[in-house]
Amino acid sequence: MMRNLLYIDGALVEPARGGFLAVNDPATGDCFALAAAATEADVDAAVAAARHAFDHGPWPRMPAAQRAVVLRRVAGAIRTDLEELANLEMRDNGKPLKEARGDIADAAYCFDYYADLAEQVEAEGEATHDVGDERFHCRVRKEPLGVVGAITPWNFPLLMAAWKVAPALAAGCCVVLKPSELCPLTCGALAHYLHEAGLPAGAFNLLTGTGPDAGVPLSMHAGVDKLAFTGSQATGTRVMQAAAPDIRNVSLELGGKSPFIVFADCDLDKAVEWIQFGVFWNQGQICSATSRLLVERPIYEALLARLVAAAQRILIGPGDLDGVQMGPIVSDAQRRRVLEGIERGRADGARLVSGGCSPPQLMRGYFVQPTIFADVPLDSWIWREEVFGPVLCVRPFDTEAEAVAVANDSRFGLAGAVMSADLERCERVAKALRAGVVWINCSQPTFTQLPWGGYKASGIGRELGRHGYEAYLEVKQITRFDANADWNWYQPAAVESK
């Protein structure tokens, strides 16, 4: 049985208390690997290693081109082992193998992208500024922020780690990564690739373990300069509270309950495809899932009928089953939460039109049918809260203004989508939606080059793109006075004092 250790200060190490966690295959429920269970002592060791590496080691002081070499080696190693990693991700997480391959390829690209961006930003150099007084020479430089505590989720295990680790390392930071205990295995492979690529000891450290035993002490550790978290709003709140006493930098990518507005002039077949992808991809375990569907009334019943028929054709099964479109939910506990959410929908008066339970033909594993509710009350739990499973809520609307108002009536603001043949209307709606990501005539495409993050309770800050790189940099002003110039401190000329 596979047995993953911790990676601290450039070496694989046993957990301080000697504990290991079972890693289960969601398609069967069987344990197929063990992962080291880090505790506070391991967190202390990992943060100390990262702190020393940042304060005294070579990584933050290297030219960007040298750091880029290491990142590109990691990208190459991921591509070389893509099939092996995809199979590991499938067995660890449950997602279909085809989707896992795409995730692994995206993770490799993420390392290449930030290698390129680090070189580009360094080549741009420091920005100089004319302050209106020639005696002062002013410039702004960007420096690596410090030690980063990264806490990542189970829905895209390697890819979500890459979204944080790649830009942080590219910027010159040192990282302590705590992935979800449910899906830690590909992050163990990442530690191996970084080691083999020549990353200095301490610049990257891996702590597998539970949230209470490893995530909480990492969040509270005074040696961490920045916390980068992806997960639920409830946990994100606790991460933010842990950072507050020391006023530490925090970025949070949290949940969503994203709307998809469909107008009557759309192509119904295309609408069905994008709606399904927006909520059933990855078993609905995506923070940006467009799970609140608003359909213009003239096509409401017709589109609903097509959606039900399409959902009932979705092939559900283990991720390596040929042609499978939906795999299992990640764990038995998460499956129970999804099924409880479905029961709340029924209790609140939503009309169940498809799915609603585990597939009877799949006796083992953590499977849930793609589920559709119609005529969902606006004040119901299932309309307002994130299920994080394959559950779609549908309502009709009559006017564009009504659709936008209902879409924005949420404490979340991660994503949204609009579909119409009228592109001017699409642009109006896209600008009106209070969300960090808006898709027109599609749902869920995500690009490493573009910023990712949300409004309101969906988080703070942005990942990906240049925004995701600059999140790991501090900004420093340097002002130099011309030693040959005249100066009287009591007559500072054009200089302002505030």
Side-chain angles (χ1 to χ4, degrees):
M1 182 179 292
M2 185 185 303
R3 187 170 174 268
N4 271 32
L5 299 177
L6 307 176
Y7 180 75
I8 298 175
D9 204 16
L12 294 173
V13 298
E14 297 272 350
R17 293 186 180 175
F20 283 82
L21 301 171
V23 181
N24 297 326
D25 183 340
T28 64
D30 295 337
C31 173
F32 72 99
L34 298 174
T39 55
E40 188 170 357
D42 303 303
V43 174
D44 287 342
V47 173
R51 186 79 264 162
H52 186 270
F54 184 79
D55 292 340
H56 307 289
W59 186 251
R61 296 156 187 83
M62 282 183 183
Q66 291 183 28
R67 294 199 296 268
V69 168
V70 174
L71 297 185
R72 292 190 183 106
R73 286 174 184 160
V74 173
I78 291 172
R79 290 192 182 95
T80 297
D81 291 348
L82 190 147
E83 198 64 22
E84 178 183 342
L85 289 168
N87 276 277
L88 186 60
E89 197 92 307
M90 174 197 70
R91 199 169 183 200
D92 201 6
N93 171 274
K95 65 179 62 194
L97 182 57
K98 182 179 179 181
E99 291 183 16
R101 289 186 182 115
D103 293 352
I104 302 303
D106 285 349
Y109 177 76
C110 192
F111 278 91
D112 271 339
Y113 172 80
Y114 282 109
D116 292 345
L117 188 58
E119 291 180 323
Q120 175 189 329
V121 171
E122 185 170 87
E124 292 170 0
E126 298 176 359
T128 58
H129 294 266
D130 182 355
V131 296
D133 188 330
E134 62 184 14
R135 297 172 300 172
F136 293 91
H137 305 273
C138 304
R139 66 189 194 275
V140 173
R141 62 180 277 110
K142 295 177 181 179
E143 299 176 346
L145 193 152
V147 173
V148 175
I151 302 175
T152 55
W154 45 258
N155 54 341
F156 296 90
L158 183 60
L159 183 57
M160 293 293 98
W163 280 21
K164 291 174 171 51
V165 173
L169 290 178
C173 294
C174 295
V175 178
V176 179
L177 171 66
K178 208 298 281 185
S180 169
E181 65 272 22
L182 296 179
C183 300
L185 300 183
T186 49
C187 288
L190 176 60
H192 170 74
Y193 297 141
L194 287 163
H195 183 88
E196 291 297 308
L199 188 73
F204 174 82
N205 304 271
L206 175 67
L207 298 171
T208 53
T210 67
D213 289 339
V216 169
L218 180 60
S219 298
M220 298 180 69
H221 206 293
V224 172
D225 299 303
K226 176 184 175 70
L227 291 166
F229 171 79
T230 296
S232 71
Q233 181 190 348
T235 305
T237 298
R238 292 193 291 271
V239 169
M240 194 171 181
Q241 289 170 338
D246 297 320
I247 320 296
R248 285 178 291 149
N249 189 303
V250 174
S251 60
L252 303 173
E253 202 274 272
L254 306 177
K257 192 69 177 181
S258 301
F260 195 150
I261 300 172
V262 176
F263 287 93
D265 62 351
C266 74
D267 182 308
L268 288 184
D269 291 333
K270 291 179 180 177
V272 168
E273 284 298 311
W274 283 113
I275 292 164
Q276 286 191 106
F277 187 65
V279 73
F280 297 144
W281 168 51
N282 204 43
Q283 296 68 253
Q285 300 169 140
I286 42 179
C287 54
S288 59
T290 38
S291 56
R292 288 189 296 143
L293 178 63
L294 292 157
V295 182
E296 196 169 14
R297 198 175 297 276
I299 62 166
Y300 180 69
E301 293 297 341
L303 181 57
L304 190 60
R306 291 194 188 205
L307 280 171
V308 169
Q312 292 173 353
R313 290 194 299 268
I314 292 174
L315 179 61
I316 309 170
D320 58 354
L321 179 68
D322 188 36
V324 72
Q325 295 165 288
M326 269 185 54
I329 300 298
V330 71
S331 69
D332 189 42
Q334 181 62 20
R335 177 183 63 171
R336 289 197 302 270
R337 282 191 284 269
V338 172
L339 293 174
E340 287 167 4
I342 291 171
E343 288 307 308
R344 292 190 71 165
R346 285 172 163 157
D348 286 343
R351 178 163 59 100
L352 181 67
V353 294
S354 186
C357 61
S358 296
Q361 75 275 18
L362 294 168
M363 303 301 293
R364 302 179 69 202
Y366 313 134
F367 296 91
V368 174
Q369 294 173 327
T371 297
I372 302 174
F373 282 101
D375 310 327
V376 182
L378 289 175
D379 60 352
S380 63
W381 182 92
I382 203 165
W383 180 263
R384 306 197 71 82
E385 300 299 327
E386 186 175 38
V387 178
F388 222 68
V391 180
L392 177 65
C393 298
V394 191
R395 280 185 60 87
F397 71 87
D398 293 301
T399 67
E400 178 182 319
E402 177 196 355
V404 170
V406 172
N408 284 337
D409 183 18
S410 171
R411 75 175 191 277
F412 297 110
L414 180 53
V418 56
M419 178 166 278
S420 171
D422 183 344
L423 293 183
E424 288 187 7
R425 174 162 57 188
C426 287
E427 291 292 339
R428 278 198 312 272
V429 171
K431 292 174 182 177
L433 289 176
R434 296 283 295 162
V437 180
V438 179
W439 296 291
I440 293 176
N441 290 331
C442 59
S443 179
Q444 305 307 318
T446 304
F447 302 98
T448 305
Q449 303 93 329
L450 300 178
W452 179 270
Y455 292 13
K456 300 187 279 188
S458 287
I460 297 172
R462 293 294 183 269
E463 295 191 297
L464 298 184
R466 185 158 181 152
H467 292 80
Y469 178 75
E470 294 190 346
Y472 296 97
L473 296 171
E474 287 282 20
V475 178
K476 176 183 287 184
Q477 175 209 140
I478 299 177
T479 295
R480 175 173 56 85
F481 180 68
D482 186 343
N484 297 317
D486 292 331
W487 174 256
N488 292 313
W489 68 270
Y490 51 89
Q491 289 182 328
V495 178
E496 290 187 4
S497 178
K498 294 184 178 179

